């Protein structure tokens, strides 16, 4: 905590930290901004409410400002050119829709060719479709999405999430030079989900991709999540030298529901009927899966046994 | 020629043929429509001019109506709902800009998952960006493109061709369900060209992709085409069992300019400075290349030695 002691006041700490946040463009560090904003605010006993803290975090990145809350969060654009009134508000907490299960397919852990910050700047400057999207499409979609979340309306939720993800990537492609965040594996995951949803007659799973190739898949309930995991493991089995424990992370109890307790079980999974050519399995194309749920925001832990860092040294336990 | 003899009049032949053209949705057969329209018109000594014939071919497919001419062709949408006034006109013949060299990278000869006809119908029905593109973007772009072609202005030509190709694929992605015609190899080719064009300060090569993953690359002149072929062969070398003669088709004299006379010469090509990781070569990702030029339209051959079919049997020679 040397750096804190060097400053004279909470304002100075805040100014220094905001500076750090703004100058850094290292995309992978962005979630840390939020944690640092939150930790410093707690450390300083700051009186700012969550939305004000989120506006500070926003100066670091959009994902940082959103992550100050758990559950369902809306990021308000704001009107100020410098973005000082761009902040996040919570629509509903994580308990509001607790049936949902999230499966993240980590397609690649390689560094991205285009960071989300420089990518979005290029899109704003060059895409002729972005203005139309921002003005005519997104505002109406956000209202519909708020309504879908409020009513636990999964069909609308999925339709809005998927079409908006695709449209975001469409304006990335309409950028000069074009930005490709999704790759062939992302496309295959979308195709699998789209075909399944159509065959089922009503959406079972929603997908969304941010500035990278990794799929965030939201299943309507735990039963659907188990089916999803089966289909995903069939299409994207691990490399032969992998171990199941590091191929599926997070809430591994879904594996049990999916009837998968070993690597051998993955090999004998049934082919999803949606798949055109079941002999073609894309082994190793997904690095690993994470099974999780809509989470809570950052909290101050009092139980020392839950700390991930050693409180004496500050190093990982 | 049995089928011709069965009909009583030219009108009947035309009606029958138009019917065949309209009912078939087999994308790969589309270029044949044009040849059949042209051949039947000649056979019947039809008086229709090229634009009227193109409107007939249009009923089969867009690419068929365009292909009735050589050089630079504009496809006019028309106003009639049934598309009867949708036809193609020639802007300039193939001699107008004879510096241009075309290199086609055939990424995959697999059948497409989405045909261009059903794909475009889905896009018209579901994309919220298409209307904006069709109304606000394309009409202005077409005028600029006509001007660029007229003035041999390669910088504008390339910029317009590339951004329009990307925007076409953006609205495909904005379709429900989304359409992915380009794949990772298409993206890598675009990235190579974009980086080269930026490094050179002015466009050297234009790219355009239609409803599939294959790249059509247009080099500003023969010298640039030789450089392009070098870069492409470095990044996408053939599989080890290939032979150069079936890996580069068409005008093979460009290979000589590129200093490539054997498979071994491909292995010792210098890495393009645009490439991030020169150790990563995507062997076998391009099935073959075709080197060509803006061509002429279909013609009636009088020299029998040029026939590809045996005039007695109708079978390939």
């Amino acid at each position: 905590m040397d750096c804190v002691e060097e400053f004279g006041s909470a304002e100075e700490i805040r100014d220094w930290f905001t500076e750090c946040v703004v100058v850094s463009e290292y995309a992978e560090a962005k979630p840390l901004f939020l944690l640092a904003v939150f930790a410093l605010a707690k450390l300083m006993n700051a009186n700012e409410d969550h939305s004000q803290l989120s506006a500070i975090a926003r100066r670091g990145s959009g994902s940082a400002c959103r992550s100050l809350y758990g559950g369902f969060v809306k990021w308000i654009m704001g009107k100020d050119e410098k973005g000082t009134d761009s902040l996040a508000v919570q629509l509903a907490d994580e308990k509001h829709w607790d049936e949902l299960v999230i499966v993240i397919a980590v397609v690649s852990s390689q560094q991205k060719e285009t960071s989300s910050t420089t990518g979005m700047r290029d899109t704003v400057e060059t895409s002729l479709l972005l203005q139309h999207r921002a003005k005519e499409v997104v505002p109406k979609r956000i209202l519909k999405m708020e309504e879908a979340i409020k009513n636990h309306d999964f069909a609308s939720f999925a339709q809005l999430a998927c079409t908006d993800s695709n449209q975001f990537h469409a304006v990335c492609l309409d950028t000069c030079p074009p930005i490709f965040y999704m790759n062939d594996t992302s496309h295959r995951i979308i195709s699998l989900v789209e075909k399944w949803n159509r065959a089922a007659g009503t959406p079972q799973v929603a997908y969304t991709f941010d500035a990278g190739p990794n799929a965030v898949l939201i299943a309507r309930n735990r039963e659907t999540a188990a089916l999803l995991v089966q289909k995903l493991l069939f299409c994207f089995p691990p490399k032969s030298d992998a171990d199941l424990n590091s191929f599926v992370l997070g809430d591994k109890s879904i594996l049990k529901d999916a009837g998968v307790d070993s690597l051998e079980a993955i090999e004998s999974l049934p082919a999803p009927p949606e798949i055109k050519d079941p002999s073609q399995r894309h082994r190793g194309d997904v690095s690993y899966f994470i099974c999780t749920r809509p989470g809570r925001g950052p909290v101050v832990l009092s139980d020392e046994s839950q700390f991930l860092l050693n409180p004496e040294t500050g190093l990982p336990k």
Side-chain angles (χ1 to χ4, degrees), chain A:
Chain A
M1 291 284 94
D2 280 356
C3 59
V4 174
E5 283 162 13
E6 280 175 14
F7 291 96
S9 71
E11 282 71 31
E12 276 182 279
I13 298 176
R14 194 165 48 213
D15 289 351
W16 163 80
F17 181 72
T18 307
E19 184 85 356
C20 294
V21 163
V22 173
V23 294
S24 170
E25 287 218 4
Y26 189 56
E28 279 60 33
K30 283 176 182 175
L32 295 177
F33 294 156
L34 173 270
L35 290 178
V37 168
F38 182 78
L40 278 168
K42 289 290 165 192
L43 198 69
M44 299 182 303
N45 290 316
N47 290 325
E48 278 87 353
D49 67 15
H50 264 41
S51 68
Q52 284 170 300
L53 286 181
S54 102
I56 297 174
R58 166 68 193 97
R59 298 192 61 185
S61 86
S63 43
C65 93
R66 288 193 308 247
S67 309
L68 199 66
Y69 302 93
F72 299 86
V73 179
K74 175 178 167 179
W75 177 9
I76 296 168
M77 183 171 63
K79 286 175 181 167
D80 181 55
E81 272 201 13
K82 287 183 182 163
T84 53
D85 58 350
S86 173
L87 49 81
V89 293
Q90 190 181 51
L91 297 176
D93 71 17
E94 65 278 12
K95 293 182 209 91
H96 167 71
W97 198 348
D98 59 1
E99 275 189 293
L100 300 183
V101 179
I102 297 171
V103 179
I104 300 167
V106 179
V107 170
S108 154
S109 51
Q110 285 186 331
Q111 215 186 323
K112 292 185 283 190
E113 188 151 308
T114 311
S115 90
S116 54
T117 309
T118 54
M120 192 42 78
R121 196 189 53 211
D122 288 350
T123 304
V124 169
E125 281 172 15
T126 64
S127 168
L128 295 178
L129 300 180
L130 178 71
Q131 281 304 318
H132 184 74
R133 164 170 161 76
K135 221 169 128 186
E136 304 294 333
V137 183
V138 170
K140 290 172 199 159
R141 230 174 231 170
I142 284 182
L143 296 178
K144 285 184 191 165
M145 184 53 113
E146 286 187 50
E147 205 60 21
I149 291 169
K150 200 173 115 194
N151 301 328
H152 300 174
D153 173 359
F154 189 79
S156 302
F157 172 84
Q159 197 267 335
L160 292 163
C162 299
T163 51
D164 199 69
S165 173
N166 291 329
Q167 194 175 79
F168 163 70
H169 290 275
V171 298
C172 291
L173 187 47
D174 187 49
T175 300
C176 181
I179 303 166
F180 314 107
Y181 287 126
M182 295 199 289
N183 64 18
D184 286 351
T185 307
S186 319
H187 294 173
R188 284 192 189 103
I189 295 172
I190 289 183
S191 180
L192 175 70
V193 172
E194 286 283 355
K195 284 177 184 161
W196 181 17
N197 285 346
R198 271 169 196 246
T202 182
Q204 305 299 303
V205 170
Y207 58 82
T208 183
F209 293 74
D210 68 0
N214 305 328
V216 177
L217 301 158
I218 306 161
R220 63 186 309 145
N221 56 38
R222 204 175 153 90
E223 200 187 329
T224 311
L227 275 174
L228 172 65
V229 165
Q230 278 187 346
K231 289 172 197 278
L232 288 170
L233 290 178
F234 178 89
C235 296
F236 308 99
K239 285 184 182 157
S240 51
D241 60 347
D243 83 299
L244 186 58
N245 215 34
S246 54
F247 190 61
V248 180
L249 306 177
D251 177 6
K252 298 183 191 195
S253 69
I254 292 171
L255 277 178
K256 207 176 156 189
D257 295 12
V260 174
D261 56 3
S262 66
L263 288 184
E264 292 71 41
I266 294 180
E267 297 311 313
S268 50
L269 278 170
E274 298 80 26
I275 293 300
K276 214 173 178 179
D277 178 6
S279 69
Q280 224 194 346
R281 300 180 73 179
H282 302 278
R283 195 171 298 282
D285 283 3
V286 171
S287 302
Y288 54 93
F289 294 98
I290 306 169
C291 300
T292 183
R293 308 272 297 275
R296 58 183 186 184
V299 288
V300 178
L301 298 173
S302 53
D303 176 2
E304 209 169 284
S305 70
Q306 294 189 15
F307 292 6
L308 295 175
L309 301 179
N310 183 319
E312 303 296 322
T313 63
L315 297 171
K317 271 185 184 174

